[in-house]
Amino acid sequence: MSEPQSKEIEALTPQEAEAELARLSGVLGAANTAYHRDDAPEISDAEYDSLKRRNAAIEARFPELKRSDSPSDQVGGAVADGFSKVTHEVRMLSLGNAFDDEDVAEFDERVRKYLGLEPGTVAYTAEPKIDGLSLSLRYEGGALVQAATRGDGEIGENVMANARTIEDVPHKINGAPDVLEVRGEVYMSHADFEALNARQTEAGGKTFANPRNAAAGSLRQLDASITKARPLRFFAYAWGALSAPLSETQFGAIERLSELGFQTNPLTRLCDTTDALIAQYRAIEEARATLGYDIDGVVYKVNDLALQQRLGFRSTTPRWAVAHKFPAELAWTTLEGIDIQVGRTGALSPVARLHPVNVGGVMVSNATLHNEDYIAGRDAKGQPIREGRDIRVGDHVQVYRAGDVIPKIADVDLSKRPKNAEPFVFPTVCPECGSDAVREEGDAVRRCTGGIVCPAQAVEKLKHFVSRAAFDIEGLGAKQVEQFYADGWIKQPADIFTLRERYGTGLQQLKNREGWGEKSANNLFDAIDEKRQIPLARLLFGLGIRHLGEAGSALLANHYGNWDTFEAAMTEAEIGAGEAWEALNDIDGVGAVMAASVVNTLQQDAERAAIDALVAQLDVQEAVRRVVEGSPVAGKTVVFTGTLEKMTRAEAKARAEALGAKVSGSVSAKTDLLIAGPGAGSKAKKAADLGVETIDEDGWLELISAL
Ligand code: IVH
């Protein structure tokens, strides 16, 4: 008789199956520990997956033998859900990028324009951009009480036990404000990184591709004793919640953090001009190789904290800072193939499959080739790029990678082109569904015309639907969506919400499927139910409408307030004319392209049926305007007109919105308040005709001054 572990599942006796399930539970449990706790995998990922599949298949055949500790019920590694969550009192943001001197000049211009200041009047700090991961340390009464990763900026992971093992993180500080959140970067030095990899190799464990990965893997460890054995460091460069200001300037605040006992970067400088910023950039670039840790650029910050305050934030980045990145990393390798991926909006995107190559510390095997013109060696206007050199499979190509962005193919070496290399023929039918793929006039991209009939578009739409910024359903990620789609369980978003009804009980149980158990199936159904209540903005973003991103969805949600109003307006709107169309276009930040795309989608029969079916499953929450306590303009619609003398239009608008007002570009019966500066014309007249209250800039400043 053969061993149960090598036997076909169909041939297993119940006794053999029971023994085999016990064995698999042990092997998979040990593999999990080795991988996630010890960072020292014992079996390959493929082998792990194959064992897990075998386990699930045996369970499907003998449901009654499923163990209470079944590996099917265990989700990935403990790391993924092992940390408690921390909501940041002050959001942790990222930075906008500048790639050359011109971008830096533009940054300074934007800052001054927003504030209405002359050239040369704004001072900045310049400091290295550390290539690690950010950490927020909270001190209360001088004692470290919390340490959290950035997470999505709003909610991070509580990594207190690990942070306490970092030598540069003081446990107690003296003379600090009562509440102080210090923010900075956790990183690993080159020397420590190499020593760690050497130790890992010796122990037969997993090595890290670069110091950043090593630092991230070490900080996000459930077992703090492992973190302790991996020397991490910390530079402080910013702060979150504060009970008292640290200083009046950025430079002063950093000095203060240094006095409190934090490591701050010694290459931080105060610069009065953009020329001085560029000079410091060059100096840091020159020192880069000798620093002993990775940096990927230089960060510039407005020095005056009162100006920082006035400048405030865009949705995810501050207006008062920018990261001037170092030039991209380059490498040469062979182009082994070109695949065409079909995206959510039908775009056919060529992806380069590369012979794996190390580009500045990261192994790269895929890169984007943008579109068919790019491959052919011309730009959207038909002008040559790369002096007209096209790219062919088999070519020797140059890959470049800048920061976190997707690697790109920059160039091709014709002297190494194989004799038989053929020009690449871009498909004119969708490789996924066979529908025509067409290029509309002025569009650089060829698109599949299959709409939701195209499986690739449907799957991508579903993936987008469950993604983090949309419905964010725990346990239902890209991988699960693909499986469910392939099996015909989910064809459109509405189907997600009928899964329990269709597969929760009776014959076709989700829990009997490979990879699922009773517990994980129920968890999934519960997670889905939890998202039936959904904020309007998330629903709109989740629909995956072309040209409608997160910011646009928020604008629409805030404007229309609830689903019914939105839906009625989109049904009524005629593209290009009429009141509903104009109201949509009047929303500040909504342009004609976005507006037309939204109206079109809502008026297409198939799309509309899918959306209606979805909404019928949901309880769409009204958009709540942020309540700004004591704000006299919260919820009011205001219009600015004429010249403002004490602040720029952009600042006035941002300030009004921060106070909960809706800023509109035109006066109508819905306007609550007109702020008219000198030179106000037709809007002031219309306001007067409509009896809308009108005040001047001083009146406005007085009105909001209490805040
Ligand atoms: S300031 C509100 N300064 O870069 C802005 N960030 O790309 C707060 N980083 O998430 C960030 N060195 O993790 C700042 N000297 C530095 C930095 C730095 C590295 C990281 C940080 C941030 C990311 C943005």
Side-chain angles (χ1 to χ4, degrees):
M1 196 180 89
S2 60
E3 289 293 304
Q5 62 200 68
S6 56
K7 239 173 143 174
E8 291 277 332
I9 292 164
E10 293 309 314
L12 287 174
T13 65
Q15 290 75 14
E16 285 171 338
E18 192 171 5
E20 178 67 348
L21 286 176
R23 184 188 74 88
L24 286 168
S25 161
V27 175
L28 287 164
N32 259 337
T33 310
Y35 185 88
H36 292 288
R37 199 199 64 199
D38 308 338
D39 257 338
E42 286 166 348
I43 57 177
S44 71
D45 287 358
E47 202 177 332
Y48 178 87
D49 288 341
S50 129
L51 291 176
K52 216 165 162 175
R53 274 199 302 273
R54 180 170 170 82
N55 184 76
I58 299 176
E59 287 174 350
R61 191 167 160 237
F62 299 99
E64 68 286 358
L65 294 180
K66 191 174 163 196
R67 300 168 57 89
S68 60
D69 65 348
S70 162
S72 306
D73 293 343
Q74 268 133 44
V75 218
V79 175
D81 56 357
F83 293 103
S84 59
K85 301 274 184 276
V86 172
T87 303
H88 297 298
E89 194 177 320
V90 175
R91 267 194 313 152
M92 287 182 84
L93 296 150
S94 59
L95 292 168
N97 291 326
F99 294 100
D100 54 29
D101 296 3
E102 207 175 299
D103 290 349
V104 176
E106 277 170 19
F107 162 67
D108 171 61
E109 239 175 75
R110 275 199 307 276
V111 165
R112 287 187 295 95
K113 207 165 154 217
Y114 188 96
L115 297 166
L117 296 174
E118 295 299 314
T121 53
V122 179
Y124 299 91
T125 59
E127 70 202 64
K129 182 170 188 298
I130 316 297
D131 197 6
L133 66 154
S134 44
L135 180 70
S136 183
L137 303 167
R138 186 176 172 99
Y139 293 84
E140 288 176 13
L144 177 65
V145 295
Q146 186 179 78
T149 62
R150 181 172 117 173
D152 65 0
E154 286 184 23
I155 298 175
E157 286 171 330
N158 177 358
V159 290
M160 176 71 162
N162 298 347
R164 285 175 65 90
T165 70
I166 302 175
E167 219 175 279
D168 293 342
V169 171
H171 294 189
K172 279 223 160 323
I173 50 179
N174 285 321
D178 190 42
V179 174
L180 167 62
E181 280 180 8
V182 176
R183 291 177 175 176
E185 203 84 350
V186 172
Y187 66 100
M188 194 179 277
S189 75
H190 292 154
D192 289 334
F193 165 70
E194 269 146 33
L196 170 64
N197 265 356
R199 284 202 308 275
Q200 294 286 104
T201 311
E202 207 164 294
K206 131 177 173 199
T207 57
F208 294 98
N210 54 49
R212 210 201 85 84
N213 287 0
S218 306
L219 187 67
R220 297 182 70 257
Q221 262 296 332
L222 273 187
D223 183 346
S225 67
I226 294 176
T227 314
K228 196 173 162 71
R230 309 234 183 113
L232 294 174
R233 306 200 176 175
F234 179 76
F235 273 129
Y237 53 64
W239 54 92
L242 275 181
S243 56
L246 289 171
S247 165
E248 286 180 1
T249 62
Q250 175 74 31
F251 198 75
I254 298 304
E255 276 180 336
R256 181 85 195 281
L257 289 176
S258 163
E259 285 157 19
L260 287 170
F262 294 92
Q263 298 299 321
T264 57
N265 197 287
L267 291 168
T268 309
R269 295 282 180 279
L270 186 55
C271 302
D272 283 333
T273 60
T274 45
D275 285 347
L277 287 179
I278 302 293
Q280 183 59 8
Y281 174 87
R282 304 262 182 269
I284 292 176
E285 195 177 25
E286 211 150 283
R288 186 179 185 187
T290 62
L291 293 178
Y293 51 87
D294 277 353
I295 63 173
D296 56 350
V298 178
V299 183
Y300 307 141
K301 299 172 185 168
V302 169
N303 188 42
D304 183 333
L305 296 183
L307 294 185
Q308 280 193 9
Q309 172 82 21
R310 280 176 61 192
L311 284 157
F313 302 91
R314 295 181 216 92
S315 57
T316 58
T317 56
R319 287 194 190 85
W320 44 264
V322 76
H324 187 178
K325 302 298 274 289
F326 289 135
E329 313 264 10
L330 298 171
W332 287 88
T333 188
T334 319
L335 177 63
E336 293 180 338
I338 298 178
D339 288 351
I340 303 291
Q341 279 179 357
V342 183
R344 153 170 79 82
T345 57
L348 266 48
S349 311
V351 178
R353 302 290 174 216
L354 303 167
H355 184 74
V357 60
N358 187 322
V359 192
V362 172
M363 288 308 284
V364 172
S365 45
N366 301 317
T368 176
L369 279 162
H370 305 284
N371 53 51
E372 58 186 297
D373 286 344
Y374 191 81
I375 298 176
R378 52 175 185 258
D379 68 11
K381 294 195 188 93
Q383 296 301 310
I385 48 173
R386 297 184 300 271
E387 292 160 346
R389 290 188 286 279
D390 73 328
I391 294 172
R392 303 182 184 186
V393 173
D395 268 341
H396 204 57
V397 292
Q398 188 188 49
V399 190
Y400 86 57
R401 193 182 68 86
D404 292 336
V405 297
I406 306 168
K408 300 185 175 93
I409 301 295
D411 209 350
V412 48
D413 182 350
L414 293 187
S415 73
K416 295 199 174 147
R417 172 166 286 173
K419 292 245 159 16
N420 56 356
E422 298 278 347
F424 182 72
V425 182
F426 204 90
T428 52
V429 295
C430 171
E432 300 285 341
C433 73
S435 303
D436 284 345
V438 299
R439 256 182 96 167
E440 275 168 29
E441 176 106 14
D443 198 349
V445 166
R446 190 173 282 280
R447 286 173 204 277
C448 159
T449 52
I452 33 187
V453 170
C454 172
Q457 284 191 52
V459 171
E460 290 307 315
K461 265 191 178 261
L462 284 164
K463 284 190 199 163
H464 171 82
F465 183 82
V466 300
S467 67
R468 207 170 193 177
F471 273 65
D472 192 20
I473 298 172
E474 203 162 330
L476 190 61
K479 207 169 114 193
Q480 290 80 3
V481 161
E482 269 175 16
Q483 274 176 11
F484 286 140
Y485 185 85
D487 296 348
W489 285 25
I490 294 179
K491 295 202 186 69
Q492 57 178 34
D495 299 338
I496 293 172
F497 294 93
T498 57
L499 265 181
R500 190 200 293 267
E501 198 175 302
R502 291 180 294 138
Y503 298 100
T505 52
L507 282 177
Q508 283 202 307
Q509 291 186 341
L510 173 60
K511 70 170 191 183
N512 290 338
R513 272 185 57 148
E514 193 177 310
W516 295 90
E518 173 126 27
K519 192 164 144 224
S520 54
N522 275 326
N523 284 349
L524 176 67
F525 295 143
D526 290 348
I528 291 172
D529 280 343
E530 226 173 81
K531 294 297 161 86
R532 284 183 197 270
Q533 276 215 340
I534 195 85
L536 179 58
R538 277 187 182 259
L539 167 63
L540 295 178
F541 180 62
L543 296 178
I545 297 172
R546 195 168 155 210
H547 301 302
L548 183 65
E550 238 183 304
S553 303
L555 291 175
L556 295 183
N558 279 337
H559 181 84
Y560 293 102
N562 60 57
W563 172 260
D564 290 343
T565 311
F566 167 76
E567 183 249 271
M570 294 310 107
T571 311
E572 188 194 323
E574 271 169 64
I575 291 175
E579 209 176 299
W581 171 254
E582 262 157 33
L584 174 60
N585 279 269
D586 254 359
I587 304 172
D588 208 54
V590 174
V593 175
M594 186 202 293
S597 174
V598 174
V599 171
N600 252 329
T601 306
L602 272 282
Q603 294 186 359
Q604 259 170 32
D605 292 346
E607 294 267 12
R608 184 53 187 269
I611 293 173
D612 288 345
L614 169 67
V615 173
Q617 296 290 332
L618 304 174
D619 169 13
V620 184
Q621 295 166 312
E622 293 208 1
V624 244
R625 300 205 134 265
R626 254 183 317 121
V627 188
V628 184
E629 241 166 88
S631 164
V633 293
K636 299 250 165 85
T637 301
V638 304
V639 176
F640 292 94
T641 187
T643 316
L644 300 180
E645 287 163 332
K646 308 233 161 84
M647 56 177 118
T648 61
R649 190 62 75 79
E651 183 178 359
K653 175 169 177 287
R655 189 78 206 280
E657 283 172 349
L659 292 171
K662 203 191 260 186
V663 180
S664 171
S666 59
V667 173
S668 74
K670 293 194 192 116
T671 310
D672 293 302
L673 184 64
L674 179 75
I675 299 100
S682 62
K683 286 184 195 169
K685 188 172 173 303
K686 187 160 181 200
D689 291 346
L690 290 167
V692 170
E693 187 187 349
T694 301
I695 56 176
D696 64 8
E697 188 179 5
D698 284 336
W700 164 254
L701 287 173
E702 204 175 306
L703 181 66
I704 62 170
S705 67
L707 295 152

